[in-house]
Structures are given as structure tokens and as C-alpha cells.
Amino acid sequence: AQSVAQPEDQVNVAEGNPLTVKCTYSVSGNPYLFWYVQYPNRGLQFLLKYITGDNLVKGSYGFEAEFNKSQTSFHLKKPSALVSDSALYFCAVRGQGSGNTGKLIFGQGTTLQVKP
Amino acid sequence: GAVVSQHPSWVICKSGTSVKIECRSLDFQATTMFWYRQFPKQSLMLMATSNEGSKATYEQGVEKDKFLINHASLTLSTLTVTSAHPEDSSFYICSARDELADSYNEQFFGPGTRLTVL
């Protein structure tokens, strides 16, 4: 069965410091991996994705993520956090292969709090 | 491009009434749309996969007679919460895939609909 784990309910970072939001996954076959951000009472905004190719993926708003197949991880990172980055972040996975309906499996979400 | 809208953005209704939520892909065609439910500070729970021109595929534990899904065109899917009760109060989010684009692996999300049942 496919699953995604975000082990931290909340991550606290000081503005200007680097941030990491962790994600590990379990999927049969090669994964498609995604990060989304959600602001209060809003839908999800796409940040970045890994489909194939370079393990380091760069996305919106200065975020990046590194696909690590051996550790089955896809941690989200940013070199210098902004207060405006404070939001709820979701990691998601879908499996490749025939018969896949395209549905995403989401992690439980991590609240990022960036303090001035 | 790849914009998904939802209507209404919020709705308050009385217990026992039915509520319809629309999900539209504004600038692309979507044969597949997805409906999610989200409780406060929790993750998204996939309710069903909406398939244009055919029956929706519901996830285990989701009552198909309670949550009616219709995907009558390539740009519109509707979710009707029938005989709503307070426990149906939630944030409902739809998403769609642009299967003709290079971004076909992505899902584009609507802004969500906040349903409150009194």
C-alpha cells in the first residue's frame, strides 16, 4: 500500500535560517512526489514535484527538495526562511505503473512557523 | 493556466438539506477530477475520483448515496451532500488533472468550499 509520512506536526524556524520539512514515502515502483502548501481556508498550492531526472528539484518561492531513493525520502528545504512561509505543508505521492488512477496520497501535513 | 475554481466558497445550511458544490477546470479539460475532505488542521482525505461520462469511484468508507458526484462535462464536476448533518461540516476541496499537458502528473486544486451544517 502507498503511504506518506511527515514525522513532524510542526517545525519552528527563525526568519533567515534554513528550514527542512521532512517526508518519507512508501510506494510500489517508482514514485511521483509532490509538495504543496496551504494557507488558512485556502486550497493547495503546488510547490514542486519529482518525476524523474535530477534528485534535487527546485520549485516555487525558493523551495527545493531532494529525492533520496535509498532512504525513500523527499525532504523540503529552503536556505533562508521568511515569515510569509508560515503555512501548512503537505507531501504527496502517487505510484507509477499501469492501473494507477492518478490519485495522490497525502501526508498528515506539517505546520511551518517562521518567527521574526 | 491550469486554474480550478469551486463554487460556492462557503455555504451554511440547515440539517437535512442538500448542498451542491461545483468544481470547474477553467482553462483545460479534465476527464478526471478528485474530491477531498479536510478537517481542521488535518490532512486531505480522498473521497472519490470523478470520471467524466461514467460513475465516480468512491474510496472505502465513503457513502456514495450520501455524497453524489456527477461529472457531466470535461470541465465540470459536482459534489452533492445529501441530507446534510452537522458531522458533514468540513472543508471540501476538488482537484483536476490536465491530461493533455506535460503537467499531466500534477493535480491542480480548487480553493475549497467551507460547508457548515447547523
Side-chain angles (χ1 to χ4, degrees):
Chain A
Q2 299 177 145
S3 65
V4 178
Q6 293 179 241
E8 304 152 316
D9 288 338
Q10 182 158 327
V11 170
N12 298 311
V13 175
E15 187 174 32
N17 283 1
L19 68 87
T20 298
V21 183
K22 295 180 180 177
C23 171
T24 58
Y25 66 90
S26 174
V27 66
S28 57
N30 294 319
Y32 292 152
L33 293 157
F34 304 84
W35 275 102
Y36 290 89
V37 60
Q38 185 181 34
Y39 294 95
N41 294 310
R42 304 286 294 275
L44 273 65
Q45 296 179 32
F46 170 78
L47 280 179
L48 51 80
K49 65 182 177 184
Y50 172 82
I51 303 298
T52 187
D54 287 342
N55 291 339
L56 183 63
V57 178
K58 294 189 182 296
S60 306
Y61 312 119
F63 284 93
E64 59 187 31
E66 186 164 12
F67 170 61
N68 187 317
K69 189 172 183 177
S70 63
Q71 298 186 3
T72 62
S73 67
F74 190 56
H75 301 331
L76 182 70
K77 300 183 179 184
K78 187 173 182 179
S80 178
L82 300 172
V83 173
S84 58
D85 292 330
S86 299
L88 183 58
Y89 290 79
F90 290 102
C91 180
V93 68
R94 62 165 280 206
Q96 298 184 31
S98 60
N100 192 289
T101 61
K103 64 182 183 182
L104 292 175
I105 305 299
F106 283 87
Q108 61 267 46
T110 299
T111 298
L112 173 65
Q113 192 77 258
V114 182
K115 297 185 178 178
Chain B
V3 178
V4 176
S5 70
Q6 278 183 247
H7 179 80
S9 55
W10 59 270
V11 57
I12 301 172
C13 69
K14 293 182 179 180
S15 186
T17 60
S18 294
V19 175
K20 180 185 284 187
I21 303 170
E22 294 184 348
C23 178
R24 293 183 185 272
S25 56
L26 296 185
D27 49 4
F28 65 98
Q29 294 182 333
T31 56
T32 306
M33 293 184 174
F34 302 89
W35 286 97
Y36 296 86
R37 183 174 181 177
Q38 186 182 30
F39 291 104
K41 297 187 178 181
Q42 292 191 27
S43 189
L44 278 71
M45 182 192 79
L46 180 65
M47 299 174 66
T49 302
S50 173
N51 305 298
E52 188 270 334
S54 64
K55 292 182 179 180
T57 304
Y58 289 83
E59 295 298 301
Q60 192 172 8
V62 177
E63 299 176 62
K64 60 182 179 181
D65 295 330
K66 171 81 172 172
F67 299 99
L68 300 178
I69 291 173
N70 184 285
H71 194 156
S73 78
L74 287 171
T75 59
L76 173 64
S77 174
T78 61
L79 168 68
T80 301
V81 183
T82 63
S83 187
H85 291 286
E87 57 266 29
D88 299 324
S89 299
S90 192
F91 195 52
Y92 292 87
I93 304 175
C94 72
S95 70
R97 294 169 58 199
D98 183 354
E99 290 155 12
L100 298 180
D102 292 341
S103 60
Y104 71 94
N105 288 304
E106 293 179 38
Q107 287 186 24
F108 300 96
F109 286 81
T113 297
R114 172 75 59 194
L115 171 62
T116 302
V117 185
L118 303 177

